[in-house]
Amino acid sequence: PATDQQIMVESKPLTRLNSLSDFQDGGPSHQRRSSLQFSFRSTFNNNTANPERLAKENDMNGFRQFVGLYKNFPLADDVLKGASYRQEAFKESGKKQLNHVRGTDGWFRSMLTLEVRAIDNYFPAWLMVTLNALLASFLSEVFEMKMGHAIIKHWDTVYSLVLKTSLAFLLVFRLNRCALRFWEARGYWGAVTHLTRNLVSGILMYCRHSPQHRDQAIRWASAFCVASMHFIRSEHEYNYDELAGFLTESQINRMKDANHAALFAASMCRYHLHKAFRIDAFTAPQKAHAYAIQLNELESRVGRLVEQVSGMEKIRSTPLPVAYVTHLRTFLFTYLCFFPYAWVDDWGWTTVPMVAFTAFALFGIEGCSSEVEIPFNRSRANHLALDAYCMIILESVQGLIVQDANLCTQTELDQSFLEEEIKKMEPPRTSSSDDSSIGMSLTEKDEFTFSA
């Protein structure tokens, strides 16, 4: 059975990712524009750029596990065993954002798509405006209810000088505010990524004296991103495979049952950090001073992680003021409802498609604004791919842990090899206790050891 100290995860074949850079947003490099777009989607479809290098790395990690080089590094062993489970879990949960068309996929592919246009946000209003245009055309063409030229000229002036200018300002301002909120949310997740990397790197470097608390602090620091993702999405059910190799099911249950899962993960990380850097009456003054500095540095990184979650909470709980949104939507809907009556005498039945197209353009801007205002929903294609961001963070942490274990293992092997070589090259001791009877003097032996 799994315990908090030792996580037993059945090993599965690990299909490693192309590289962490392949997860990032944006278009491909200039040399690869004619090939597949390297994004979240291509990465999770296992489009690898250097299969030989990845296969070699997989073989080396598998060999190290097989020969037991990680027996003294349980955390490295656990995260490698759970890597395939984590990949499958995040691929399944984040498929909505990972598989949709992206802005870097080319003109026609990005134009000829409906799912990412968020039509469901404004379709009822667009349908009512289109039916109203049909009614206006029917009254004008069938019942010959015409408007005078003087009235039409007056409407043209009002629409051009007053309504169009004011409406354009309101729409652009709303879209700009919502786009800034979207980018701000992405910035918070970028900060979570680099702060987690720096925090884990610092723990690996400064907590070697307390391996147990070091590993537990890293486990909870890594779980912080997953806890933040579920908290900001208001999700209370966790997929245990998302943290396979990092936390046990009992630890995940404790975290998800907390009032604030992200704060719980941060507090557990702090707890183990304080245990690792505990200072008591028997601690030497120099060591106590070093411990205090190191703990303060790591504590500041944990605090900054919590700040990022607070920023995301601000975005989630504070949309644009409802007075502004209400005024904009009322103004826009009224404008489009009166629009066909001003032009039906000149356009006739073509008023219907013209009004439908104009309404689609203007309602689309407002729909895009509302779509990206709070970009944390798992079911919306345009929202942030939080599952992929968490996968990036955990993959980075895994790389740091395995690299640290490899360096420590190599150091131990080098030290053992050096000691064996020195023993082989030393002349055998005689039974005499006189140092002069030894084939090499003590001074010469010390010099030989130092040079070796």
Side-chain angles (χ1 to χ4, degrees):
T3 63
D4 292 348
Q5 288 73 27
Q6 183 179 12
I7 301 179
M8 304 301 295
V9 181
E10 181 182 358
S11 179
K12 291 181 61 178
L14 173 61
T15 302
R16 283 187 57 80
L17 305 173
N18 182 9
S19 66
L20 291 185
S21 62
D22 296 336
F23 277 106
Q24 309 305 323
D25 284 321
S29 62
H30 177 72
Q31 295 80 2
R32 295 176 178 174
R33 286 189 184 275
S34 60
S35 62
L36 291 173
Q37 299 285 340
F38 283 83
S39 61
F40 299 119
R41 182 176 60 259
S42 61
T43 298
F44 278 115
N45 288 335
N46 295 323
N47 294 323
T48 57
N50 194 343
E52 293 81 7
R53 175 179 58 83
L54 298 179
K56 182 178 180 180
E57 185 177 354
N58 287 337
D59 293 341
M60 288 302 298
N61 287 333
F63 177 76
R64 294 186 184 105
Q65 282 186 291
F66 177 75
V67 299
L69 292 181
Y70 294 140
K71 63 181 180 180
N72 295 327
F73 304 94
L75 180 58
D77 193 47
D78 291 338
V79 296
L80 286 174
K81 289 179 179 178
S84 58
Y85 291 93
R86 295 194 301 272
Q87 288 185 26
E88 293 177 3
F90 284 117
K91 283 169 59 178
E92 178 62 26
S93 60
K95 60 183 178 182
K96 189 69 174 181
Q97 287 88 18
L98 298 173
N99 297 326
H100 73 84
V101 177
R102 308 186 70 80
T104 55
D105 287 347
W107 270 84
F108 291 102
R109 189 175 182 185
S110 59
M111 285 195 305
L112 303 176
T113 181
L114 293 177
E115 181 183 9
V116 297
R117 293 183 182 272
I119 296 178
D120 55 321
N121 288 339
Y122 57 89
F123 180 77
W126 175 84
L127 183 61
M128 292 183 64
V129 168
T130 303
L131 292 176
N132 178 67
L134 180 62
L135 175 62
S137 301
F138 185 80
L139 294 176
S140 176
E141 297 299 320
V142 176
F143 294 97
E144 298 184 353
M145 299 177 61
K146 306 290 185 179
M147 299 182 66
H149 291 284
I151 298 177
I152 294 176
K153 184 177 181 181
H154 174 71
W155 272 106
D156 186 26
T157 303
V158 172
Y159 266 70
S160 300
L161 298 181
V162 180
L163 297 181
K164 290 182 180 179
T165 304
S166 303
L167 187 60
F169 174 78
L170 291 173
L171 283 173
V172 170
F173 179 81
R174 172 156 166 77
L175 181 60
N176 182 57
R177 292 295 96 188
C178 292
L180 288 177
R181 290 165 60 89
F182 181 90
W183 185 247
E184 185 180 6
R186 181 63 183 92
Y188 286 132
W189 272 100
V192 170
T193 302
H194 75 76
L195 285 172
T196 304
R197 291 170 177 171
N198 292 336
L199 176 60
V200 172
S201 299
I203 295 174
L204 288 170
M205 178 63 65
Y206 301 132
C207 295
R208 297 183 186 276
H209 59 280
S210 181
Q212 182 178 356
H213 290 296
R214 176 199 62 190
D215 290 353
Q216 288 298 320
I218 292 175
R219 294 181 192 274
W220 287 107
S222 304
F224 179 86
C225 63
V226 178
S228 301
M229 175 185 69
H230 289 292
F231 175 78
I232 208 66
R233 286 175 168 174
S234 299
E235 296 174 343
H236 303 288
E237 295 298 327
Y238 285 44
N239 185 346
Y240 296 117
D241 287 342
E242 292 176 349
L243 289 169
F246 284 96
L247 296 182
T248 62
E249 291 189 9
S250 62
Q251 289 175 317
I252 295 175
N253 289 331
R254 289 166 54 197
M255 182 172 66
K256 75 176 184 179
D257 292 339
N259 186 42
H260 197 302
L263 290 182
F264 180 84
S267 64
M268 292 301 298
C269 180
R270 284 189 172 113
Y271 171 80
H272 289 286
L273 287 177
H274 280 269
K275 285 290 186 179
F277 293 103
R278 182 184 178 185
I279 300 174
D280 52 28
F282 301 99
T283 306
Q286 296 85 350
K287 183 180 290 188
H289 180 68
Y291 279 4
I293 295 176
Q294 294 163 359
L295 179 60
N296 183 64
E297 175 64 23
L298 297 176
E299 172 66 28
S300 67
R301 295 175 187 175
V302 177
R304 291 186 61 192
L305 278 174
V306 176
E307 290 178 7
Q308 310 313 312
V309 178
S310 301
M312 287 183 275
E313 289 182 73
K314 176 192 67 176
I315 293 176
R316 184 186 65 175
S317 60
T318 314
L320 287 179
V322 66
Y324 181 87
V325 177
T326 300
H327 181 70
L328 170 61
R329 290 177 176 175
T330 303
F331 192 13
L332 178 60
F333 187 79
T334 305
Y335 170 84
L336 291 172
C337 283
F338 282 101
F339 186 74
Y341 296 98
W343 298 102
V344 68
D345 291 347
D346 295 332
W347 293 349
W349 288 107
T350 58
T351 304
V352 178
M354 293 297 294
V355 170
F357 179 79
T358 304
F360 178 78
L362 297 179
F363 279 142
I365 298 176
E366 206 284 329
C368 293
S369 302
S370 60
E371 175 76 359
V372 301
E373 189 172 8
I374 304 176
F376 303 120
N377 197 325
R378 186 190 299 275
S379 62
R380 307 298 295 185
N382 291 289
H383 287 195
L384 295 176
L386 303 187
D387 300 271
Y389 302 155
C390 290
M391 187 68 244
I392 292 173
I393 295 173
L394 296 183
E395 182 74 7
S396 301
V397 171
Q398 174 184 313
L400 292 171
I401 294 170
V402 173
Q403 181 187 20
D404 182 76
N406 292 339
L407 290 174
C408 294
T409 302
Q410 187 62 43
T411 302
E412 294 176 357
L413 293 176
D414 291 343
Q415 183 66 27
S416 300
F417 176 78
L418 179 61
E419 292 176 356
E420 292 177 0
E421 289 299 314
I422 292 176
K423 291 179 180 179
K424 291 179 182 178
M425 298 178 67
E426 284 184 352
R429 287 180 176 270
T430 63
S431 58
S432 174
S433 60
D434 187 4
D435 291 337
S436 61
S437 63
I438 301 177
M440 181 183 294
S441 66
L442 294 176
T443 303
E444 292 174 344
K445 186 172 71 173
D446 292 339
E447 292 176 354
F448 170 79
T449 303
F450 176 76
S451 63

